[in-house]
Amino acid sequence: MVSTSGLHLTISGIVQGVGYRQWFRRQALARALSGWVRNRADETVEAVIEGDAVAVEDVLRVAMTGPLGAKVDRIDRRPATAEEMAGIKAGEMEIRPTG
């Protein structure tokens, strides 16, 4: 297993009010990724994920489509900071409050 140290995502488009966070959580857990996801006040969805690099790329690929009703325009990615990684538990994908 090749792991990644943590990736921060900002997902833009029609991604709130369509079940995107719950869908993203299921997709990440199905690929044994850990992290968190939340809505942002600017109508984007923010996530931090870590795990197998191939699984991370796979979830990024499906995240461009999202659930029914979503229309993803863009996913910005960068390495996650230590603060963003704090509290992540292996095997868990938390839905956090809006930030």
Side-chain angles (χ1 to χ4, degrees):
M1 170 196 228
V2 177
S3 75
T4 180
S5 58
L7 198 59
H8 177 275
L9 309 173
T10 302
I11 304 154
S12 304
I14 300 171
V15 292
Q16 289 192 17
V18 294
Y20 196 94
R21 290 172 302 153
Q22 293 80 3
W23 176 89
F24 187 89
R25 179 181 183 272
R26 286 191 303 273
Q27 298 300 315
L29 289 173
R31 291 163 177 80
L33 299 176
S34 303
W36 55 265
V37 60
R38 69 179 175 182
N39 283 339
R40 299 279 310 200
D42 64 3
E43 299 185 358
T44 62
V45 168
E46 177 182 31
V48 171
I49 55 174
E50 69 174 342
D52 178 79
V54 172
V56 167
E57 290 304 317
D58 190 46
V59 87
L60 284 169
R61 181 183 51 76
V62 299
M64 278 303 297
T65 302
L68 188 63
K71 182 186 176 300
V72 178
D73 294 331
R74 184 176 78 245
I75 299 177
D76 296 321
R77 60 193 273 187
R78 63 167 172 75
T81 66
E83 182 180 337
E84 291 164 341
M85 296 290 295
I88 292 177
K89 297 180 181 113
E92 293 186 16
M93 189 69 193
E94 177 186 5
I95 295 179
R96 292 190 173 174
T98 299

